[in-house]
Amino acid sequence: MKASQSNIEQKKIAFDVQAIRTQFPILSRKVNDQNLIYFDNAATAQKPQCVIDAISDYYSRYNANIHRGIHTLAEEATLAYEASRHAVQEFIGAAAVEEIIFSRGTTEGINLVAYTWGRQNIGPGDEILISGMEHHSNIVPWQILCQEKAAVLKVIPVLDNGELSMEDYRLLLTEKTKLVAIVQVSNALGTVNPVKEMIELAHQFGAKVLVDAAQSAVHLDINVQDLDCDFFAFSGHKLYAPTGIGVLYGKKQLLEQMPVFQGGGEMIKEVSFELTTYNDLPYKYEAGTPNIADTIALKTALDFIKSIGKDQIRKHENELLDYATAQLENIPELQIIGQAKEKVSLISFVLKNMHPHDVGVLLDHQGIALRTGHHCTQPLMKRFGIPGTIRASFALYNTKEEIDLLVAGLYKSIKMLS
Ligand code: 7TS
């Protein structure tokens, strides 16, 4: 083993949550005179100092537009930007770097597919299959497309325990199914869906599959070739990178056949008033000056995750999930929504006769940040007959002591609200 490899191994063995916490400056701030406890990681994760520094370093040392200048700064910026694309390729196991398209986030990635592949391939009577636990951003673009093309949107039902009904999925798949757009990990329940199996089944009917990986990319090991998905979209900001940068992966052959999305600079080879020819992948889908600083910082975030090891992070987060589940189940007024066999470190719950919003406000007074409401999954909330949930989502820097404080905070809130 090379020395550098063994260093990485050593770092992985020594998972030290307190050492990790020191790398996140925001974790030392006070909220309402209390130490911040940040349990809203499914909405967006906090950023380590190295990511914050990467942004500032770019603007302080080599801010320049990419792919066009011949001066040193432009070359440095281009190299760093493209290095990020390679880092993403490795992170998700894509076969080719041209399959990595930078976007603003998951939402933009899904919309790109709907507006390009969707418009080209969906016609009257065709069916698009989504699930009952989709985030609005994996519902609305397909609804718009179906309305435009007289196509049909069908929904895989969710079982009481928060898992998908695979029995219904099998029945819903037909020759009419052209696309399955499915979330890998539910942002509202934490359920991990069996996407590999679902992709295999969809392909038997010739349907393409888009995976919404907004919540999964940070928690699960990802290999898009092994999954054999056709499209895979995620956001940087949920994996310790900045907001405003995301990734759309697509199989090269599909991306090559698809029409362009936005027109403008960078996505063209040659422009005349009569005819424009388009650029090669991935630039064909990256019109205009991109989000250079945040793309560069995305690589820093991926390197950060790699240096700790996804396996170590998952182990820690699973311990938090098990610990929190056991603690919360002890609270008589509390009901956990979503108890799938396979979950990530996210717990949604309701408290009897208490509005989630009121609980959220009281917890905020105690310095505890979590999300309450429908989590942009209104149809799912309707399925469970509730207006919303209280959601605690854990990241690598959270601790059992913080969970104890959440439990104490909940008892306090229950006392005040009942
Ligand atoms: N899909 C899922 C499963 C998500 O959880 C989110 C964001 C999105 C798509 C959209 O991602 P964006 O980065 O383009 O906005 N989810 C959440 C959440 O749970 N709380 O705030 C944002």
Side-chain angles (χ1 to χ4, degrees), residues 147-348:
Q147 280 161 8
E148 196 179 304
K149 298 286 187 176
V152 183
L153 191 66
K154 294 215 158 169
V155 183
I156 311 160
V158 176
L159 301 172
D160 288 344
N161 69 353
E163 291 178 1
L164 282 182
S165 166
M166 288 296 282
E167 206 180 313
D168 283 297
Y169 176 56
R170 284 193 175 82
L171 295 173
L172 283 164
L173 277 172
T174 70
E175 300 297 332
K176 286 187 188 164
T177 315
K178 292 289 175 295
L179 176 77
V180 176
I182 182 76
V183 71
Q184 189 168 16
V185 166
S186 159
N187 67 314
L189 307 173
T191 309
V192 179
N193 287 319
V195 289
K196 188 171 173 184
E197 187 187 341
M198 296 178 79
I199 291 164
E200 210 176 309
L201 287 167
H203 283 169
Q204 286 171 15
F205 289 87
K208 302 288 181 237
V209 183
L210 176 141
V211 176
D212 172 348
Q215 297 293 338
S216 56
V218 64
H219 296 295
L220 308 183
D221 279 331
I222 303 293
N223 187 301
V224 287
Q225 290 185 79
D226 180 53
L227 285 178
D228 198 26
C229 54
D230 300 286
F231 301 105
F232 186 90
F234 63 98
S235 305
H237 69 93
K238 295 186 201 280
L239 39 80
Y240 313 110
T243 50
I245 180 65
V247 172
L248 173 71
Y249 157 86
K251 281 184 182 162
K252 195 171 165 187
Q253 200 194 353
L254 281 171
L255 293 175
E256 272 167 352
Q257 289 165 359
M258 279 155 48
V260 294
F261 183 37
Q262 296 178 331
E266 193 67 20
M267 54 75 75
I268 53 88
K269 262 195 180 133
E270 225 178 303
V271 177
S272 74
F273 287 122
E274 292 72 37
L275 185 74
T276 292
T277 51
Y278 302 125
N279 209 339
D280 297 326
L281 291 174
Y283 313 111
K284 173 181 165 187
Y285 291 108
E286 291 180 7
T289 300
N291 182 353
I292 303 167
D294 296 322
T295 308
I296 291 169
L298 171 63
K299 178 181 186 299
T300 313
L302 298 183
D303 289 345
F304 169 78
I305 292 172
K306 199 169 143 190
S307 74
I308 297 164
K310 256 189 168 177
D311 47 348
Q312 297 265 38
I313 297 172
R314 182 100 202 261
K315 186 167 166 277
H316 175 73
E317 289 175 346
N318 280 348
E319 277 170 23
L320 295 179
L321 175 68
D322 291 346
Y323 184 75
T325 305
Q327 299 294 310
L328 294 178
E329 276 176 347
N330 280 336
I331 303 177
E333 295 84 350
L334 188 145
Q335 187 197 347
I336 294 178
I337 307 291
Q339 292 188 297
K341 281 184 275 306
E342 228 195 303
K343 279 181 70 173
V344 298
S345 51
L346 179 162
I347 308 181
S348 251

Side-chain angles (χ1 to χ4, degrees), residues 64-178:
N65 212 328
I66 54 167
H67 297 142
R68 39 196 107 183
I70 48 130
H71 59 82
T72 302
L73 298 192
E75 270 181 28
E76 285 178 12
T78 303
L79 276 176
Y81 182 85
E82 291 303 330
S84 187
R85 204 187 302 276
H86 284 274
V88 171
Q89 181 196 358
E90 190 194 315
F91 186 71
I92 63 168
V97 75
E98 302 93 296
E99 298 178 318
I100 308 300
I101 294 159
F102 287 124
S103 67
R104 278 197 303 131
T106 312
T107 304
E108 191 175 63
I110 296 171
N111 275 278
L112 189 156
V113 177
Y115 278 88
T116 58
W117 182 89
R119 281 200 173 143
Q120 188 182 45
N121 291 283
I122 300 293
D126 285 345
E127 292 180 2
I128 295 176
L129 208 48
I130 59 171
S131 86
M133 63 173 84
E134 297 309 315
H135 186 279
H136 295 164
S137 67
N138 201 29
I139 302 174
V140 184
W142 308 120
Q143 227 162 23
I144 295 170
L145 181 67
C146 285
Q147 280 161 8
E148 196 179 304
K149 298 286 187 176
V152 183
L153 191 66
K154 294 215 158 169
V155 183
I156 311 160
V158 176
L159 301 172
D160 288 344
N161 69 353
E163 291 178 1
L164 282 182
S165 166
M166 288 296 282
E167 206 180 313
D168 283 297
Y169 176 56
R170 284 193 175 82
L171 295 173
L172 283 164
L173 277 172
T174 70
E175 300 297 332
K176 286 187 188 164
T177 315
K178 292 289 175 295

Side-chain angles (χ1 to χ4, degrees), residues 17-33:
V17 70
Q18 291 308 330
I20 287 167
R21 289 179 68 83
T22 62
Q23 298 185 53
F24 288 80
I26 206 167
L27 296 180
S28 58
R29 77 160 275 185
K30 301 254 180 206
V31 170
N32 295 321
D33 292 330

Side-chain angles (χ1 to χ4, degrees), residues 25 354 366 372 393 411:
M354 284 162 233
Q366 299 165 61
T372 62
S393 49
Y411 275 118

